[in-house]
Amino acid sequence: MIRYKMTLPLQKNTIQSVNKLALLGLVILFFLISVPGTAQNNLQTEEKMQWFQDAKLGIFIHWGLYAVNGIDESWSFFNGYISHNDYLKQTDGFTAKNYDPVAWADLIKKSGAHYSVITSKHHDGFALWDSKFGDFNAKKASVAKRDVLSPFVQALRKQGVKVGIYYSLPDWSYQDYTHHTRDSMRYKPADDPKRWNTFLHYYQGQLTELSKTYNPDLWWFDGDWEHTSAEWEAPKVRQMLLDQNPRAIINSRLQGHGDYATPEQGMPVTRPKDDYWELCMTMNNSWGYQKNDHDYKSLNQLIGIFTDVISAGGNLLLDIGPKGDGSIPKEQEELLTGLGRWTQKHKEAIFGTVAGIPKEHFYGPTTLSKDKSILYLFVKGNPNGEIVLRGIKNKINRIWVVGDGTKLSHKVVGKIYWSHYPGIKYIQVPDYVLDKNMTVLAVLLDGEIELYREDGSVIESN
């Protein structure tokens, strides 16, 4: 136990001084009791989140009825672009006839992803598994006539890929849920608590099913904006899931009861304040399959976004949208295959690393080994023979090209004997070592990286 030694000026025979001392004693007692518990909780969180922090890349899968006609998932009827009845007719086209969960898992593994998150149920309420809560699911309500979630989860497990389950808290098709469309609300919880409790039993029952059947490593909630934490019973739900699996990770969309932040589509310009975060992003402009959306990001653009994300200490959750028959569009498959080639070649600079250095020291993404003695530089395009490192106090012991081991040379310019300014380090990068997508260099330092963050020096001797 930590001991604290204090000297307090006491005034004898004054009740005020005694009261102050008693109050201070209570504060110290509370500090001694609470801090060890807080430290223990922080340690448990760090241990639980370690695989997530090391993973760097996940694959998101949006698959549901919306893939049949290639329309906006759930939002198409909620926003009035199509009637709810016409939306539901897509059950006749959800065949899954070309669905190959083993091939899906194999492609995800080859992409370099360490986890995958699939939409078990979107806001439309259509479930991919055979739920005992309601009949609106792939087995009972679609021509597929089967549970399509279970074989995919099994295939992921065989590949050693962590399993993430996306679950929509709202269910706009369920008669006892509050919201139906943007212009149609069935009721408010305060006005009909019995009906709301019916819905709570339904959605929490589905979560219990998913938890016990699949024991996911990660929960990805969505739609929490429609109700408060108290209305969702979010603390109860979190505890229920952790009782089943204490090491389960929960995203931020459970009204403040999650473990990590989830910015969507837009890459944060500055590093998020959260210790753990994940950018979820589409390959084109649509989450689910849309046959008219061919506006795909290039492989170089995806790699650029990915390296910016890991440079800032985050993960990328990259989305694919299979068709209603279960096949993955060729553009998406090609992008995952290309990404896999690049991540496999440069895995030492990606997986298990930590956030890199500020960009004023190197104009590009960077990561660091866990002991911070190796600095990885992600070089975009052709640097025309050299790249520049600024403000690195350490001596460089060795530089090599990640993926082929070619040793590179460097020189230091501007290092003056009387100043602790470290000079500018120029690294020679010949054209023949460049990767066709993005080149990665490893810089071995003489110890944990030290950065010069001062203004410079005035000449006092020459």
Side-chain angles (χ1 to χ4, degrees):
M1 177 178 287
I2 302 174
R3 297 185 181 275
Y4 297 86
K5 183 178 180 180
M6 299 180 296
T7 302
L8 297 174
L10 283 177
Q11 297 180 5
K12 294 182 179 180
N13 302 321
T14 61
I15 297 176
Q16 184 178 9
S17 296
V18 173
N19 287 342
K20 286 181 178 180
L21 181 59
L23 178 60
L24 184 57
L26 288 174
V27 171
I28 296 297
L29 178 62
F30 175 79
F31 179 80
L32 290 173
I33 293 173
S34 63
V35 168
T38 301
Q40 184 179 9
N41 289 338
N42 289 341
L43 180 60
Q44 290 174 347
T45 299
E46 289 177 7
E47 291 175 348
K48 182 176 80 168
M49 297 298 295
Q50 191 61 62
W51 75 259
F52 179 81
Q53 191 172 49
D54 290 343
K56 307 304 179 188
L57 179 64
I59 299 301
F60 213 173
I61 302 172
H62 276 66
W63 193 35
L65 294 185
Y66 39 86
V68 175
N69 292 343
I71 58 179
D72 290 333
E73 65 289 341
S74 306
W75 296 99
S76 50
F77 77 80
F78 185 82
N79 288 325
Y81 305 137
I82 185 176
S83 71
H84 186 240
N85 286 337
D86 285 339
Y87 183 91
L88 296 183
K89 290 178 183 178
Q90 292 176 106
T91 53
D92 294 335
F94 191 80
T95 64
K97 64 181 181 181
N98 295 319
Y99 171 47
D100 186 345
V102 173
W104 281 22
D106 183 60
L107 179 62
I108 289 168
K109 179 73 172 181
K110 288 180 179 177
S111 76
H114 283 60
Y115 65 106
S116 182
V117 180
I118 185 170
T119 51
S120 68
K121 188 198 76 167
H122 206 266
H123 311 325
D124 58 12
F126 180 73
L128 297 186
W129 80 101
D130 183 16
S131 177
K132 295 180 176 60
F133 291 82
D135 296 331
F136 192 36
N137 59 65
K139 184 171 183 179
K140 298 170 185 171
S142 77
V143 295
K145 296 298 180 186
R146 57 178 166 142
D147 166 8
V148 294
L149 181 59
S150 296
F152 177 62
V153 171
Q154 293 166 7
L156 286 180
R157 297 284 191 208
K158 288 181 180 179
Q159 286 285 4
V161 178
K162 296 284 188 181
V163 174
I165 296 291
Y166 168 107
Y167 183 86
S168 168
L169 295 168
D171 189 327
W172 295 331
S173 297
Y174 187 68
Q175 288 301 312
D176 286 312
Y177 182 63
T178 52
H179 298 64
H180 178 48
T181 66
R182 187 170 296 280
D183 300 322
S184 174
M185 188 169 182
R186 298 182 178 99
Y187 68 99
K188 294 181 179 180
D191 297 336
D192 198 341
K194 183 177 180 181
R195 194 174 180 184
W196 179 247
N197 283 332
T198 298
F199 171 72
L200 291 179
H201 174 75
Y202 161 78
Y203 106 80
Q204 291 174 17
Q206 285 195 326
L207 286 178
T208 299
E209 273 185 338
L210 290 168
S211 182
K212 291 183 177 180
T213 304
Y214 305 113
N215 194 31
D217 303 288
L218 184 149
W219 290 95
W220 216 100
F221 288 107
D222 201 9
D224 64 344
W225 60 82
E226 290 194 336
H227 291 286
T228 65
S229 171
E231 288 173 333
W232 289 123
E233 296 185 341
K236 171 187 171 182
V237 168
R238 176 182 173 84
Q239 191 57 53
M240 177 182 75
L241 299 178
L242 293 182
D243 285 344
Q244 175 66 26
N245 180 4
R247 301 189 66 82
I249 293 172
I250 299 172
N251 78 332
S252 60
R253 303 185 187 190
L254 188 61
Q255 282 289 8
H257 297 279
D259 299 309
Y260 69 94
T262 53
E264 183 171 334
Q265 293 288 45
M267 170 65 196
V269 176
T270 59
R271 182 177 176 177
K273 296 178 181 179
D274 302 86
D275 291 334
Y276 309 100
W277 65 278
E278 167 196 81
L279 172 66
C280 58
M281 175 174 281
T282 55
M283 286 185 170
N284 49 12
N285 299 312
S286 308
W287 289 109
Y289 170 69
Q290 294 200 22
K291 55 193 164 202
N292 293 325
D293 186 356
H294 300 290
D295 189 20
Y296 282 93
K297 301 171 182 66
S298 70
L299 179 57
N300 284 347
Q301 288 171 339
L302 287 178
I303 291 174
I305 293 167
F306 177 46
T307 54
D308 283 340
V309 168
I310 63 176
S311 178
N315 288 5
L316 176 64
L317 185 62
L318 184 63
D319 184 70
I320 61 174
K323 301 177 182 180
D325 66 0
S327 61
I328 296 174
K330 64 177 182 178
E331 299 96 332
Q332 298 178 15
E333 187 171 350
E334 289 171 356
L335 284 171
L336 288 186
T337 300
L339 183 60
R341 180 209 69 85
W342 186 84
T343 56
Q344 175 62 29
K345 179 181 177 181
H346 304 106
K347 57 186 177 183
E348 73 170 84
I350 301 170
F351 308 111
T353 60
V354 298
I357 59 178
K359 290 189 176 180
E360 54 262 34
H361 295 278
F362 174 70
Y363 292 155
T366 59
T367 58
L368 285 161
S369 59
K370 283 187 178 179
D371 65 2
K372 299 185 179 180
S373 67
I374 303 177
L375 173 64
Y376 295 103
L377 310 175
F378 296 86
V379 183
K380 298 182 178 181
N382 190 330
N384 296 317
E386 67 181 13
I387 59 171
V388 183
L389 274 178
R390 290 165 291 276
I392 307 298
K393 292 184 179 182
N394 306 73
K395 174 187 173 183
I396 294 178
N397 288 338
R398 185 182 181 90
I399 304 171
W400 68 91
V401 180
V402 176
D404 69 22
T406 302
K407 185 179 179 181
L408 301 181
S409 60
H410 78 286
K411 65 178 181 178
V412 181
V413 174
K415 172 62 179 168
I416 306 172
Y417 74 92
W418 50 262
S419 172
H420 61 283
Y421 173 69
I424 304 171
K425 296 175 173 64
Y426 290 87
I427 301 173
Q428 279 68 56
V429 186
D431 289 353
Y432 65 82
V433 304
L434 297 179
D435 182 84
K436 66 180 182 179
N437 297 120
M438 184 183 290
T439 308
V440 186
L441 308 182
V443 181
L444 176 63
L445 307 173
D446 62 352
E448 183 174 333
I449 192 167
E450 294 184 73
L451 300 178
Y452 179 84
R453 304 284 289 172
E454 301 173 35
D455 296 331
S457 301
V458 176
I459 296 177
E460 298 175 352
S461 177
N462 204 349

